[in-house]
Amino acid sequence: MTHKKLKTILITVSALSTFAIASPVFAAKGDQGVDLSHYQTSTAEFGQASDKFAIIQLGGYYDGYFSPQSTYATQVASTIAQGKRAHTYIFADFSSNTEADSMLNYYLPKVQTPKGSIVALDVESGNPNTTSVKYALAKIKAAGYTPVLYGYKSFLTAHLDLASIAKTYPLWLAEYPNYDVTTSPNYNYFPSYDNIDIFQFTSTYKAGGLDGDIDLTGITDNGYKGTTTASTGGTAVKTTTSTPAVKAGQQANNTPKSSITVGDTVKVNFSASKWSTGESIPSWVKGKSYKVLQVSGNNVLLAGISSWISKSNVEILLTTSSAAKISAPSSTGYYTVRSGDTLSGIADKYGTSYQALATLNGIKSPYIIIPGEKLKVSGSVSSSSASYYKVASGDTLSAIASKYGTSVSKLVSLNGLKNANYIYVGENLKIK
């Protein structure tokens, strides 16, 4: 460790030690939060009641292959419904300006967090280069969002002129010593570098796994300070973002608990202690989302829970009416194609492969689909066992790759894995 790096850590830790007594202007500095993907539930999940933000995966781009996240919109909505700040990230495996255009022309119109909010590029695989990464970050900024580069310091410095990028764009770096449950940063493993705004300090923020992050500068306030001023053609204009996910989150946030009804999605508060029967609520129940099955007076019965709970001990994440505003898979066995859809994106929503959907619907390469077309998403032809693999005890990514004749790097890319050494039992891995 160089003297300069040690100085960076000491300055950062010293700054963090003042957060508790700092002016409210700097309230976001030191806030902790999470980053979410389809590995979490369809509504936002947090590690602690004190968490203030979530950075949510919109999708992935893997060297020309799109993989939208079906959980994105509902995770954004439920983050906002809990009074927390929602931001966006894209898993980005690209190596040219042309690919950057393809990726961002597809994903930027689908961003459902406010203008000014973070849109981060998760660059941790493939062969990225400095020119195209700078180009992509500039394109995000021009669209009115806060561009951030995420990754592991070792990978980024090996492939990019990170010092040059960090002069213009904020970094979100990950580093942690192990996979023990960790609820606060260990600065002995801080990946010292210039312009680090967010530090991902664990991938096991709580039992079962969840990424934990800390905001070092207040950057997660961006997009949540009112109207954003952007520049269009050299002229300053005021812009705002109003999307189905944001509207649904705001509606849920404004719905009084007395109005909770069957079908709503709620979260059991971290502060809840007892069921309506007087029995203690176990910790594993808290912070997770549940559908409301029955309502009786001031109590509700939740899906998967056999005890009634008081309405005062839950938070509304999505109302049945607000959820209807958000694009969701059809339950009838058919999906109506909309502008911007891809076969792979639809397949991802239904836990299958684009090859299986193509076979089911008689679609030939190059897999052209037309807005308004109805596609079968279930039927006699389903995804083959070779498309997904369920991780068993003792499995390693290299052993799975060898079994299916592929590579570890390909599995990492296909599944948006942040660490090739961390897979968990029961996880469904895409293998082709």
Side-chain angles (χ1 to χ4, degrees):
M1 178 183 292
T2 66
H3 177 69
K4 181 179 179 181
K5 289 179 180 177
L6 179 59
K7 183 178 179 181
T8 302
I9 292 177
L10 291 175
I11 291 172
T12 303
V13 175
S14 175
L16 287 171
S17 69
T18 68
F19 290 152
I21 58 173
S23 161
V25 174
F26 304 105
K29 292 182 181 180
D31 279 354
Q32 292 186 189
V34 299
D35 52 283
L36 305 172
S37 69
H38 70 279
Y39 292 113
Q40 282 72 49
T41 58
S42 60
T43 47
E45 181 180 343
F46 293 92
Q48 302 182 92
S50 57
D51 288 338
K52 295 295 193 298
F53 64 88
I55 310 177
I56 301 158
Q57 188 178 359
L58 173 57
Y61 181 83
Y62 306 96
D63 195 22
Y65 171 78
F66 293 95
S67 180
Q69 297 275 297
S70 61
T71 52
Y72 171 74
T74 49
Q75 287 175 343
V76 169
S78 57
T79 295
I80 291 169
Q82 294 177 73
K84 303 179 193 295
R85 305 183 291 272
H87 298 274
T88 300
Y89 81 91
I90 303 165
F91 190 95
D93 185 344
F94 68 106
S95 56
S96 69
N97 289 9
T98 300
E99 286 190 324
D101 277 330
S102 177
M103 171 180 66
L104 294 176
N105 288 344
Y106 178 81
Y107 280 121
L108 283 176
K110 294 175 172 58
V111 172
Q112 296 208 8
T113 52
K115 288 288 186 179
S117 65
I118 293 166
V119 174
L121 294 180
D122 179 347
V123 178
E124 55 181 281
S125 68
N127 294 290
N129 63 76
T130 303
T131 299
S132 59
V133 168
K134 282 185 174 180
Y135 177 84
L137 291 168
K139 190 176 178 83
I140 291 169
K141 184 175 182 179
Y145 299 99
T146 299
V148 173
L149 177 61
Y150 168 90
Y152 295 89
K153 179 181 172 182
S154 57
F155 179 86
L156 295 176
T157 54
H159 290 81
L160 305 172
D161 179 358
L162 190 60
S164 173
I165 294 172
K167 287 180 180 178
T168 306
Y169 301 104
L171 305 180
W172 168 20
L173 296 188
E175 190 76 38
Y176 24 90
N178 52 47
Y179 299 108
D180 296 338
V181 172
T182 306
T183 57
S184 59
N186 181 344
Y187 288 102
N188 291 317
Y189 292 88
F190 185 75
S192 303
Y193 212 82
D194 291 335
N195 208 13
I196 300 176
D197 283 45
I198 304 173
F199 172 30
Q200 185 187 94
F201 58 87
T202 182
S203 66
T204 42
Y205 196 33
K206 66 178 188 177
L210 181 68
D211 290 339
D213 305 270
I214 185 166
D215 178 347
L216 301 174
T217 65
I219 192 171
T220 62
D221 260 353
N222 289 10
Y224 293 88
K225 298 176 180 178
T227 304
T228 303
T229 300
S231 178
T232 302
T235 304
V237 295
K238 289 187 175 181
T239 61
T240 57
T241 297
S242 182
T243 68
V246 171
K247 286 180 179 178
Q250 291 170 340
Q251 179 177 327
N253 193 40
N254 293 329
T255 300
K257 291 184 180 182
S258 59
S259 299
I260 292 175
T261 189
V262 172
D264 287 352
T265 302
V266 300
K267 181 192 80 170
V268 176
N269 287 331
F270 285 95
S271 59
S273 60
K274 294 183 182 297
W275 299 114
S276 298
T277 56
E279 298 170 351
S280 295
I281 298 177
S283 59
W284 60 265
V285 170
K286 300 177 184 181
K288 295 183 179 179
S289 59
Y290 303 90
K291 287 284 187 184
V292 176
L293 292 182
Q294 295 182 50
V295 178
S296 178
N298 289 321
N299 296 321
V300 294
L301 189 65
L302 309 179
I305 304 294
S306 59
S307 295
W308 291 82
I309 187 171
S310 169
K311 289 179 181 178
S312 64
N313 284 329
V314 300
E315 288 181 42
I316 304 173
L317 302 182
L318 288 172
T319 67
T320 50
S321 57
S322 66
K325 296 178 181 178
I326 302 174
S327 168
S330 165
S331 60
T332 62
Y334 288 87
Y335 176 83
T336 302
V337 177
R338 290 181 297 180
S339 178
D341 276 338
T342 63
L343 200 62
S344 60
I346 297 168
D348 194 62
K349 289 180 181 179
Y350 289 89
T352 184
S353 68
Y354 71 90
Q355 297 98 326
L357 286 186
T359 301
L360 187 61
N361 291 277
I363 300 172
K364 306 297 182 184
S365 182
Y367 305 112
I368 295 173
I369 55 177
I370 303 166
E373 177 183 16
K374 280 195 171 184
L375 295 180
K376 288 182 181 179
V377 291
S378 62
S380 57
V381 179
S382 60
S383 59
S384 69
S385 60
S387 295
Y388 287 84
Y389 175 80
K390 192 169 187 176
V391 177
S393 179
D395 276 339
T396 63
L397 207 59
S398 59
I400 296 169
S402 177
K403 180 177 180 179
Y404 288 96
T406 186
S407 66
V408 169
S409 61
K410 185 65 174 177
L411 290 182
V412 167
S413 292
L414 280 175
N415 293 278
L417 300 179
K418 296 192 173 183
N419 191 313
N421 296 316
Y422 183 58
I423 55 176
Y424 57 87
V425 175
E427 178 179 10
N428 284 315
L429 292 179
K430 189 181 292 183
I431 57 175
K432 72 174 184 179

